[in-house]
């Protein structure tokens, strides 16, 4: 009790040290600090209340986008058909590939979701009638999109000379790649200058069937190159007897149909084996091309487990190349295939040259958690029975 009495007396002495002006000043400063803290608290509450619904709506929008394919697979009839036709139309200029059992490539779907396509490409075209040669010059690009993960871009241009199967390109469904080139790489530049020139022999009567496709890519040393956009020019609409310089805006890259393949699938659940049969491959053969050979390489992924790829034997290329080969894959010890993919890559090579291998195109058969290819679905419905179906080859 004596201690508290002494303590109260000491506090009284301390209070006497301050005048009334100082006490009112301290009180005013305390009031101002309290008001500032109250304003900050109100602002934080307002910020939280406004940001939460936006993020929730964004998450709902993303789930709706990712669940679009799931919705299409769960519903029957016209909704599924419209969804498949819309996606197949975006992937290729040809007819819908689902009718023949072809599927959508997950990588291609990722390409459609690439960063915003922007920028333009400047190039020149010239057909030398005296030497019967097509000269393509890639000059420069401007305002290319920057990748989100790297915040930079290392662009180069992949040039392909596509030859249509028939004279009327709009009605033609199959193409053949006559020549393809690659410009030099320009690092960390959104407006690169290339200045690379390429040329190839081309008969004058075939100029109307040719389309030059420019695909701008972002170089990636450790993964698949990113696609920044493309532009393509049908030569039947241009007069290129003199050098013609053009600048065109980049658009979303589309796939070109370069052939068809007859594949068979058989699943053996007891032994956990998958048999992939490569029966026939139909491609467009240019009459002036030298003798070439074809082979197919099959890669299988099952439940996120990548199996060792296998390849067929080489066959001499013709309009319809017959293989009639069956490749067997031993699957992982799983009771059920939750997700998987079969990738068939068709290569062309010249037997007389060692390093002449060139990719013609690929076929992707996909089974996901919520969707599956029609061919895969038929295989699972007819166990231990081979199911054959034609598929389009895209590049």
């Amino acid at each position: 009790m004596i201690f508290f009495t002494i303590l109260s007396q000491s506090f009284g002495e301390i209070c006497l040290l301050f005048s009334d002006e100082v006490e009112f000043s301290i009180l005013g400063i305390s009031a101002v600090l309290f008001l500032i803290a109250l304003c900050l608290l109100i602002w934080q509450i307002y910020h939280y209340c406004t940001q939460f619904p936006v993020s929730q709506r964004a998450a709902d929008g993303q789930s709706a986008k990712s669940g679009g394919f799931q919705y299409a697979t769960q519903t029957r009839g016209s909704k599924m058909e419209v969804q498949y036709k819309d996606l197949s139309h975006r992937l290729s200029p040809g007819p819908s590939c689902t009718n023949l059992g072809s599927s959508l490539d997950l990588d291609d779907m990722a390409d459609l979701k690439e960063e915003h396509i922007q920028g333009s490409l400047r190039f020149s075209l010239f057909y030398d009638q005296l030497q019967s040669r097509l000269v393509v010059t890639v000059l420069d690009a401007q305002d290319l999109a920057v990748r989100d993960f790297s915040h930079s871009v290392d662009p180069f241009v992949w040039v392909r000379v596509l030859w249509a199967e028939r004279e009327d390109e709009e009605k033609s469904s199959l193409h053949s790649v006559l020549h393809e080139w690659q410009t030099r790489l320009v690092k960390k530049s959104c407006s690169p200058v290339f200045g690379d020139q390429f040329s190839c022999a081309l008969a004058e009567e075939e100029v109307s069937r040719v389309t030059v496709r420019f695909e701008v890519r972002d170089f990636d040393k450790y993964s698949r190159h990113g696609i920044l956009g493309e532009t393509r020019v049908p030569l039947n609409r241009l007069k290129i007897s003199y050098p013609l310089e053009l600048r065109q805006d980049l658009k979303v890259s589309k796939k070109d149909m370069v052939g068809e393949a007859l594949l068979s699938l058989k699943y053996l659940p007891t032994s956990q084996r998958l048999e992939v049969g490569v029966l026939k491959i139909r491609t467009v053969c240019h009459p002036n091309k030298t003798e070439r050979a074809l082979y197919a390489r099959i890669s299988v992924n099952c439940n996120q487990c990548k199996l060792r790829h296998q390849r067929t034997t080489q066959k001499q290329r013709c309009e319809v190349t017959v293989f009639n080969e069956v490749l067997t894959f031993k699957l992982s010890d799983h009771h059920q295939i939750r997700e998987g993919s079969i990738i068939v890559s068709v290569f062309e090579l010249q037997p007389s040259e060692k390093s002449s291998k060139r990719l013609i195109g690929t076929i992707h058969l996909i089974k996901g958690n919520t969707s599956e290819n029609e061919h895969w679905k038929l295989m699972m419905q007819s166990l231990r029975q081979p199911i054959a179906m034609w598929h389009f080859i895209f590049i």
Side-chain angles (χ1 to χ4, degrees):
M1 195 67 182
I2 299 174
F3 172 76
F4 287 109
T5 305
I6 297 173
L7 186 62
S8 60
Q9 291 178 358
S10 62
F11 275 123
E13 295 175 356
I14 294 174
C15 294
L16 294 175
L17 296 177
F18 298 100
S19 61
D20 293 340
E21 291 81 2
V22 175
E23 291 180 355
F24 284 120
S25 300
I26 295 175
L27 182 61
I29 294 174
S30 302
V32 171
L33 293 177
F34 175 75
L35 291 176
I36 293 175
L38 183 62
C39 293
L40 290 175
L41 179 61
I42 295 174
W43 182 83
Q44 288 290 344
I45 295 174
Y46 174 77
H47 182 72
Y48 175 79
C49 294
T50 55
Q51 285 294 108
F52 180 73
V54 173
S55 61
Q56 186 175 10
R57 288 195 298 269
D60 294 340
Q62 291 178 358
S63 62
K65 290 181 181 178
S66 62
F69 207 102
Q70 179 180 0
Y71 174 78
T73 57
Q74 291 178 348
T75 56
R76 302 289 182 182
S78 59
K79 291 182 179 180
M80 177 187 293
E81 186 176 358
V82 170
Q83 186 82 356
Y84 272 97
K85 286 185 177 180
D86 178 65
L87 288 174
S88 61
H89 175 73
R90 293 175 66 187
L91 283 176
S92 67
S96 176
C97 59
T98 51
N99 295 333
L100 295 182
S102 181
S103 65
L104 300 176
D105 179 7
L106 293 182
D107 294 337
D108 297 335
M109 294 179 69
D111 292 342
L112 296 178
K113 298 179 182 179
E114 284 278 353
E115 290 86 348
H116 177 64
I117 302 296
Q118 67 179 42
S120 61
L121 182 69
R122 187 167 66 99
F123 54 90
S124 69
L125 300 171
F126 169 58
Y127 182 73
D128 190 345
Q129 297 178 342
L130 297 179
Q131 299 183 5
S132 297
R133 296 190 68 85
L134 175 66
V135 181
V136 181
T137 306
V138 182
L139 299 174
D140 61 66
Q142 286 187 358
D143 301 328
L144 298 179
V146 177
R147 307 296 296 278
D148 287 342
F149 60 90
S150 62
H151 302 288
S152 64
V153 62
D154 300 331
F156 68 95
V157 182
W158 196 284
V159 185
R160 285 192 177 99
V161 179
L162 303 174
W163 182 76
E165 183 182 17
R166 291 189 290 268
E167 185 74 25
D168 190 356
E169 187 185 357
E170 294 182 355
K171 297 181 180 180
S172 176
S173 57
L174 297 182
H175 293 79
S176 175
V177 180
L178 295 183
H179 301 277
E180 54 184 356
W181 308 290
Q182 178 180 330
T183 67
R184 65 186 182 90
L185 176 67
V186 180
K187 292 187 176 183
K188 300 185 184 302
S189 176
C190 294
S191 298
V193 177
F194 299 103
D196 295 328
Q197 188 175 89
F198 313 98
S199 66
C200 63
L202 184 66
E204 186 173 358
E205 59 271 12
E206 295 181 348
V207 173
S208 59
R209 296 191 183 188
V210 169
T211 298
V212 183
R213 173 182 169 185
F214 302 88
E215 191 175 64
V216 184
R217 298 184 179 185
D218 177 32
F219 178 79
D220 193 334
K221 184 178 180 180
Y222 303 101
S223 181
R224 189 173 57 92
H225 299 320
I227 298 179
L228 302 177
E230 73 156 32
T231 182
R232 56 181 67 204
V233 182
L235 299 187
N236 58 354
R237 303 175 184 176
L238 300 176
K239 295 181 179 180
I240 55 174
S241 55
Y242 295 95
L244 177 63
E245 185 175 310
L246 299 172
R247 177 178 291 278
Q248 292 189 355
D249 294 333
L250 298 179
K251 300 179 181 179
V252 176
S253 182
K254 297 181 180 181
K255 297 294 181 182
D256 292 289
M257 191 161 48
V258 293
E260 297 173 288
L262 180 61
L263 305 177
S264 70
L265 299 179
K266 183 170 71 172
Y267 176 53
L268 305 172
T270 305
S271 59
Q272 285 293 305
R273 294 181 184 273
L274 177 66
E275 295 183 358
V276 181
V278 181
L279 306 181
K280 298 179 182 180
I281 294 179
R282 176 179 177 263
T283 55
V284 179
C285 296
H286 191 271
N288 295 336
K289 271 200 169 184
T290 58
E291 182 179 345
R292 299 294 175 97
L294 287 183
Y295 74 90
R297 187 184 69 183
I298 294 90
S299 302
V300 176
N301 291 271
C302 179
N303 295 337
Q304 298 183 352
C305 179
K306 185 175 182 180
L307 306 180
R308 184 176 181 181
H309 68 267
Q310 301 184 38
R311 51 170 290 180
T312 65
T313 58
Q314 298 179 15
K315 300 287 185 179
Q316 182 177 354
R317 180 177 181 177
C318 53
E319 186 175 354
V320 179
T321 307
V322 180
F323 288 89
N324 287 334
E325 297 185 23
V326 177
L327 305 176
T328 304
F329 294 87
K330 175 64 176 177
L331 303 181
S332 304
D333 294 332
H334 290 280
H335 300 288
Q336 184 180 5
I337 301 178
R338 297 184 302 274
E339 57 183 7
S341 65
I342 302 174
I343 303 175
V344 181
S345 303
V346 182
F347 290 91
E348 175 192 58
L349 52 85
Q350 192 170 350
S352 59
E353 299 180 8
K354 294 183 179 180
S355 60
S356 61
K357 183 178 72 172
R358 183 178 67 86
L359 177 66
I360 292 182
T362 56
I363 301 171
H364 294 257
L365 307 179
I366 307 296
K367 182 194 183 307
N369 292 325
T370 59
S371 63
E372 60 184 347
N373 173 262
E374 183 67 23
H375 197 176
W376 195 296
K377 185 185 302 182
L378 294 175
M379 176 191 69
M380 299 303 293
Q381 293 175 355
S382 305
L383 299 177
R384 302 178 181 86
Q385 297 294 328
I387 304 297
M389 189 174 291
W390 284 94
H391 297 269
F392 290 144
I393 304 174
F394 291 101
I395 192 171

